[in-house]
Amino acid sequence: MKNAPIRHRIEYTAFAAVRRVLGWLPHATSRRAGRLLGELIWVVLGSRRKTALANLELVFPERPAAERRRLAHDSFRHLGEVTCDTVSSSRFDAEELCGRLTIEGWEHLDTARQAGKGVLVMSAHLGSWEVAALPIGLYRETIHVIGRPLDNPWLDRHLEWSRTRFGNATIQKRAAARDSLRVLRQDGQVGILIDQRVRPEQGITVPFFGHPAITSPLLARLALKTGAPVVPIFGHLEPGGRYRVVFGEPLWAEGEGPDAVAEFTRCCLEIVEDEIRLR
């Protein structure tokens, strides 16, 4: 709901209160509070619970129902944990954030940079995706992250600040193709969450966990058009309020036309699928 100033103000006031409370807690404790939030969501949002269980049955039919239910339940806890962690981590300055990071695979990003064609950094809504992009701006160069603005302008301003406070930048989703091409042609870096929601008429259908999934073709089209390599990145919560950020080996798109777009998109989704199975 975009034009609802009273509702937006109430939402932001509630968010600011939660942020203040989390700021009083030790950072690791805020994660535990988040898991309690996930428990509440599991109980209250029955429709979401049913969707999660149905999806797990679709992709893991061989697993016992009790195990699928445990996985679904823990994913809700994890979502609450990541949500509160993201809010709590906004208290960190650059020095404290860096002290909490373990980074693996910097050499893969450096290899991709040497091609001189820009870099596409690919991730998904998995683990700690908001924190994962921050060290790129801190240790290397600005990454321009594609995202849709939040309907609530107060919350959107906070999210924009959170994403750019250490040197990164954002690209509005509605102008993503044009602005991303501009950045890549200047040998810059563009970040894309490949599992962002896309309307059917704008997406392509590719396999994901053995089932057709409507997916944005933007990543593949940019890689094919510019020759920019794609570097996977995933961020994960570690004990003690720490984070592990892992870069994967660069991927290079080949060919041209719709078939090449579909094939490269499939390859990228396979990487996300492997990461999900691993976790």
Side-chain angles (χ1 to χ4, degrees):
M1 190 179 296
K2 295 184 178 181
N3 297 314
I6 296 176
R7 176 180 171 179
H8 291 163
R9 183 67 182 184
I10 292 172
E11 288 174 345
Y12 184 76
T13 301
F15 166 77
V18 171
R19 185 186 179 201
R20 187 174 295 111
V21 170
L22 291 177
W24 292 336
L25 299 174
H27 180 58
T29 303
S30 72
R31 292 183 179 179
R32 292 195 287 273
R35 291 186 72 82
L36 293 176
L37 173 63
E39 288 280 3
L40 178 63
I41 296 172
W42 172 262
V43 172
V44 173
L45 297 185
S47 62
R48 296 293 187 181
R49 183 174 65 246
K50 290 178 182 177
T51 298
L53 290 169
N55 285 339
L56 284 169
E57 184 177 9
L58 191 68
V59 301
F60 295 135
E62 74 285 358
R63 298 195 181 191
E67 182 182 355
R68 293 198 300 265
R69 188 174 182 85
R70 179 188 62 78
L71 283 171
H73 196 170
D74 201 46
S75 75
F76 276 66
R77 297 190 192 101
H78 178 71
L79 177 61
E81 185 178 16
V82 169
T83 299
C84 287
D85 177 271
T86 301
V87 175
S88 175
S89 67
S90 65
R91 75 179 82 177
F92 298 151
D93 59 17
E95 182 177 359
E96 183 165 6
L97 178 65
C98 291
R100 293 173 178 269
L101 293 171
T102 299
I103 302 177
E104 301 176 2
W106 269 128
E107 68 275 11
H108 299 315
L109 183 63
D110 293 340
T111 296
R113 293 288 303 150
Q114 292 171 7
K117 296 179 178 294
V119 177
L120 289 156
V121 179
M122 178 200 76
S123 194
H125 291 93
L126 173 67
S128 186
W129 65 88
E130 290 288 352
V131 171
L134 297 178
I136 299 178
L138 278 168
Y139 286 104
R140 294 298 193 268
E141 299 177 21
T142 297
I143 179 173
H144 298 74
V145 180
I146 297 173
R148 184 184 76 82
L150 300 178
D151 292 340
N152 187 319
W154 298 80
L155 292 175
D156 188 62
R157 281 193 288 271
H158 174 80
L159 183 61
E160 177 80 6
W161 168 82
S162 178
R163 288 173 170 171
T164 61
R165 70 189 192 273
F166 295 136
N168 290 336
T170 58
I171 291 175
Q172 299 297 321
K173 189 176 179 180
R174 61 178 174 268
R178 180 194 65 206
D179 290 350
S180 297
L181 280 172
R182 174 181 53 80
V183 171
L184 293 171
R185 285 168 175 165
Q186 295 172 355
D187 196 19
Q189 302 178 121
V190 174
I192 297 179
L193 294 173
I194 194 172
D195 62 341
Q196 287 198 34
R197 183 179 180 182
V198 60
R199 292 197 296 268
E201 66 271 18
Q202 295 177 330
I204 59 174
T205 301
V206 291
F208 187 57
F209 281 94
H211 298 275
I214 298 175
T215 309
S216 171
L218 179 61
L219 176 67
R221 287 175 178 169
L222 289 172
L224 287 164
K225 188 175 184 66
T226 65
V230 173
V231 177
I233 179 175
F234 297 102
H236 300 286
L237 304 180
E238 294 277 285
R242 295 184 56 81
Y243 306 88
R244 181 176 301 275
V245 178
V246 181
F247 294 89
E249 295 182 3
L251 307 173
W252 304 84
E254 297 179 348
E256 58 183 20
D259 289 346
V261 170
E263 175 61 19
F264 192 68
T265 302
R266 184 192 63 78
C267 290
C268 292
L269 277 186
E270 279 187 352
I271 290 175
V272 176
E273 182 179 329
D274 289 344
E275 189 71 14
I276 292 171
R277 290 183 186 278
L278 178 65
R279 302 292 166 181

